[in-house]
Amino acid sequence: MTFSTKVKERRHKGGSEMSRLRPAVEQSPHPAAPRLTRSAASQARLGGPGPPKELAPGPYGKQRRKHTDSALAQELSQMRVSGQESPLGHALDGVNMRHASRSSTQNDQPAPSPPVKEGPRARVKSSSRGGLASVARLLKLGRCKNIVVVAGAGISTASGIPDFRTPGTGLYSNLERYDLPYPEAVFNIDYFSECPQAFFSLARELYPGRHRPNYIHYFIRSLHLRGLLLRVYTQNIDGLEKMCGIPEDKLVEAHGNFTTASCHLCYTPYPAEDAKVAIMSGDVPTCSFCAGTVKPDVVFFGEDLPQKYFLHSEDFPKADLLIIMGTSLQIEPFASLVNTVRASVPRLLLNRHAVGPFLKTPLRRADHLELGDLLDSVQRMAHLLGWSAEIEELMRSQGAIVSRVD
């Protein structure tokens, strides 16, 4: 039975894992894209994505309400003015950001985000710089000392690695010659069993060593060097965070990496360098024990997330600033991590488009966003903090190419 036949049969069953993974049809020009589950087993351990953590009953419920009127929240309230009043221009045009947005979910499924409202009062201003200025001020005041960074493929595009979803240029678009039943099938273990070459083609693009870290990676490392970085949670499998010098204990590669390899059937370890040589030369590495196909230990849909991922239960309640950059927040359970910081904790989104909870209007009052080119936003953030020269010198010392935004 072919993979396509399996997919058709499972669609008729209506609750199968494969049908849940298929992207839904868009309902509006800029809707929140459907979320995909990276690890069904891991989600079961976590109790499913469920409601956002600030609304869910649990050990942090009372604590979050208590912190709503904390000194940090008061500082944010004093800094925040409407987009029309601010000389810098804040992240939302005329939207009242003093009231938190709340949503509910049913049956442990993520609630669909409402379509983005059109009109001058709801349209996000991609040129707004108020979010950067507000968060930079908090950092200068010493108010943020446990920063968690959530990163996606967008932080690596400045290194020459395409993101996954951009039409025409994204990595998924480059796999069209394999006639995938849907783009994410390249990370489906059943599809891999029948057609490993689709993933191996992607792996040849992402294997560490082909690309160099960029300014964004070194900005994150600068947070570490200043003792401000609690942890980086990355969806990336390109290894650039580690290559730029972010220590292993500060890094959670939630979707695995190429450091190790194993058989996808019996999980027998396989020499990672031998797997790389075979894949880069167009061959298919096979297990010497069961003859199954070997793959790098990148997490596929339905596979367990690495144990280190579960540090989030300690890190996110401890965070005093969350920086989200270069991610579409579509893959669960990773996407829901951004909802697990306390309600009073500032969340800064640096992205080309608003995603996840930042699609809601009004935003909760501790939320900030800066939309547009990510490299430009990060460089301006470093300039506001006075870190630009140090980051550029750090890059030169490691042979990285320094690009400047005037």
Side-chain angles (χ1 to χ4, degrees):
M1 182 181 296
T2 66
F3 178 76
S4 299
T5 305
K6 293 179 184 177
V7 172
K8 291 179 182 178
E9 289 183 358
R10 291 176 183 175
R11 286 176 187 160
H12 289 297
K13 294 180 182 178
S16 69
E17 178 183 359
M18 291 299 299
S19 63
R20 287 197 302 274
L21 291 176
R22 297 189 71 242
V25 178
E26 294 186 354
Q27 300 297 320
S28 68
H30 302 287
R35 293 180 175 179
L36 306 176
T37 304
R38 189 70 169 193
S39 170
S42 299
Q43 218 183 105
R45 284 201 297 272
L46 292 170
K53 293 293 184 180
E54 63 266 30
L55 302 181
Y60 300 107
K62 293 182 179 179
Q63 184 181 15
R64 288 191 176 89
R65 286 191 290 272
K66 182 175 73 173
H67 280 274
T68 299
D69 295 323
S70 66
L72 181 58
Q74 292 175 14
E75 178 72 30
L76 287 169
S77 297
Q78 292 169 5
M79 286 190 289
R80 193 180 297 285
V81 294
S82 72
Q84 295 177 346
E85 295 170 348
S86 171
L88 293 172
H90 285 258
L92 291 182
D93 184 8
V95 176
N96 180 1
M97 299 175 69
R98 295 181 181 274
H99 301 285
S101 172
R102 297 184 180 274
S103 63
S104 61
T105 58
Q106 296 178 349
N107 301 325
D108 289 332
Q109 297 295 323
S113 300
V116 178
K117 297 179 181 179
E118 296 296 328
R121 293 185 60 81
R123 191 174 295 122
V124 176
K125 293 174 63 178
S126 61
S127 61
S128 168
R129 302 190 180 186
L132 292 183
S134 297
V135 175
R137 182 180 175 188
L138 287 178
L139 283 164
K140 287 181 175 181
L141 290 171
R143 306 300 297 272
C144 304
K145 299 178 180 179
N146 289 295
I147 301 174
V148 171
V149 175
V150 169
I155 75 169
S156 296
T157 56
S159 296
I161 302 176
D163 63 14
F164 282 94
R165 302 178 187 279
T166 300
T169 61
L171 291 172
Y172 285 149
S173 295
N174 295 336
L175 296 173
E176 288 180 353
R177 65 183 180 277
Y178 292 102
D179 195 25
L180 299 174
Y182 53 92
E184 292 81 6
V186 70
F187 288 114
N188 180 274
I189 200 67
D190 290 337
Y191 185 82
F192 177 82
S193 296
E194 296 189 12
C195 183
Q197 288 293 358
F199 171 74
F200 289 158
S201 175
L202 186 70
R204 284 191 287 272
E205 179 67 31
L206 296 176
Y207 252 113
R210 293 198 60 193
H211 303 277
R212 301 290 300 172
N214 62 65
Y215 193 100
I216 302 167
H217 298 100
Y218 285 98
F219 175 84
I220 300 172
R221 185 184 173 192
S222 187
L223 291 173
H224 162 65
L225 292 175
R226 287 173 168 78
L228 303 176
L229 183 65
L230 178 59
R231 207 89 62 194
V232 181
Y233 285 76
T234 180
Q235 295 174 283
N236 297 332
I237 57 177
D238 53 40
L240 294 183
E241 295 91 352
K242 191 180 298 182
M243 189 181 297
C244 84
I246 296 173
E248 185 77 31
D249 65 330
K250 294 291 183 180
L251 180 63
V252 175
E253 295 172 303
H255 293 163
N257 54 49
F258 291 93
T259 305
T260 57
S262 59
C263 174
H264 85 285
L265 292 177
C266 69
Y267 305 107
T268 299
Y270 190 91
E273 190 58 34
D274 291 351
K276 179 180 179 179
V277 170
I279 292 170
M280 296 301 286
S281 62
D283 297 330
V284 177
T286 56
C287 175
S288 58
F289 182 74
C290 74
T293 302
V294 168
K295 74 174 182 65
D297 289 331
V298 172
V299 178
F300 277 36
F301 292 109
E303 294 188 310
D304 287 346
L305 294 172
Q307 190 61 37
K308 198 173 180 182
Y309 169 82
F310 298 97
L311 283 172
H312 73 82
S313 62
E314 301 174 12
D315 289 343
F316 282 74
K318 193 186 300 182
D320 51 26
L321 172 63
L322 179 64
I323 301 178
I324 307 159
M325 52 173 65
T327 174
S328 60
L329 292 182
Q330 292 189 35
I331 305 297
E332 292 289 358
F334 188 92
S336 291
L337 289 179
V338 301
N339 295 319
T340 60
V341 294
R342 300 187 309 274
S344 62
V345 170
R347 299 187 298 185
L348 173 63
L349 174 68
L350 305 175
N351 224 25
R352 188 167 294 279
H353 305 289
V355 295
F358 293 87
L359 285 167
K360 300 172 184 177
T361 54
L363 298 179
R364 71 186 194 186
R365 66 179 180 178
D367 282 350
H368 305 263
L369 70 166
E370 185 76 18
L371 303 183
D373 181 78
L374 178 57
L375 177 60
D376 172 76
S377 296
V378 172
Q379 288 180 318
R380 285 191 285 109
M381 181 73 166
H383 177 74
L384 289 169
L385 292 167
W387 298 357
S388 299
E390 293 178 26
I391 293 175
E392 291 173 6
E393 181 58 34
L394 181 63
M395 294 178 69
R396 289 189 190 97
S397 70
Q398 297 201 357
I401 298 175
V402 178
S403 57
R404 181 186 292 275
V405 173
D406 295 329

